[in-house]
Amino acid sequence: MLEGIVRESIGRKAAKALKRDGYLIANIYGKGLENINAAFKVNEFIKEVRKKTTLIFDVKVGSQILSVVVVDYQKDPVTAELKHVDLKVAQKGVVSKYMVPIKITGTAIGLKNKGVLIQSKRRIKVKCAAENLPNFFELDVSKLDVGDALLVRDIVVPAGVIVIDAERVAVVGVEKAR
């Protein structure tokens, strides 16, 4: 389990000092909960996020153990070093908005016909309770030929999950190579 510390001081000076010591600044929030300003060791955070198998993972901050989802993160534009992360508490029974990744499977027919596979959306915005949150949406592109596309409405959504993105938006398609 990932362990972090609660930040007492939230000023710029304190944040710089923590970053110098190898910490990642994090904000943890949720519906009806007080925001928690936390910090995690950067390397430990990256290892934990890479090895997790579900969107929801546990963190320990101070004496609390929270189930969280990564909502947003900021990287340095030059060094690509992780600078800041926002974590949302996934509360059981509370309906909230999440971003669910899309996993593509298969090889499109159109690739053999001089087409290029283009994925225009990497994550889909959904609204659901934490216990219904899918880890990813799987799309099979093996039937796509040049000019074909899979839209948001083609995604198989489990019960209790509502897709917020517009149904007519293309997720992945095969276009003619130039």
Side-chain angles (χ1 to χ4, degrees):
M1 181 186 304
L2 182 65
E3 291 191 33
I5 58 170
V6 177
R7 293 170 39 213
E8 284 81 36
S9 173
I10 56 171
R12 190 183 304 167
K13 247 182 182 175
K16 271 190 174 179
L18 280 171
K19 286 178 186 174
R20 221 176 301 117
D21 293 340
Y23 280 93
L24 171 68
I25 306 302
N27 290 337
I28 303 172
Y29 55 88
K31 271 188 183 169
L33 298 175
E34 195 172 319
N35 291 358
I36 301 169
N37 297 308
F40 300 99
K41 285 283 191 186
V42 176
N43 295 337
E44 289 176 14
F45 185 84
I46 292 170
K47 280 181 196 169
E48 187 71 26
V49 168
R50 283 194 178 143
K51 77 175 185 183
K52 70 184 176 76
T53 55
T54 61
L55 276 181
I56 300 172
F57 63 103
D58 291 335
V59 296
K60 183 178 182 186
V61 180
S63 61
Q64 291 180 296
I65 295 177
L66 303 166
S67 295
V68 296
V69 176
V70 176
V71 175
D72 195 19
Y73 58 89
Q74 294 171 349
K75 285 185 170 183
D76 186 280
V78 178
T79 63
E81 187 180 314
L82 202 55
K83 292 287 183 193
H84 175 87
V85 68
D86 283 337
L87 302 172
K88 181 189 280 187
V89 178
Q91 299 165 305
K92 298 243 184 270
V94 178
V95 175
S96 194
K97 293 177 184 169
Y98 301 99
M99 294 295 280
V100 179
I102 293 172
K103 206 180 249 187
I104 293 178
T105 58
T107 305
I109 298 168
L111 297 180
K112 294 173 187 150
N113 301 332
K114 297 183 179 156
V116 178
L117 187 73
I118 296 176
Q119 186 176 359
S120 52
K121 282 190 107 24
R122 301 233 177 261
R123 301 192 302 168
I124 298 288
K125 189 180 259 186
V126 299
K127 188 176 182 180
C128 65
E131 56 269 15
N132 296 335
L133 182 65
N135 295 323
F136 57 85
F137 290 123
E138 198 167 320
L139 285 177
D140 183 22
V141 295
S142 55
K143 293 185 177 121
L144 293 183
D145 202 352
V146 177
D148 293 344
L150 289 174
L151 308 177
V152 171
R153 69 173 152 244
D154 299 328
I155 296 172
V156 178
V157 181
V161 178
I162 301 166
V163 176
I164 296 174
D165 287 333
E167 289 185 344
R168 65 186 178 280
V169 176
V171 177
V172 63
V174 179
E175 291 186 9
K176 188 176 179 183
R178 294 177 190 195

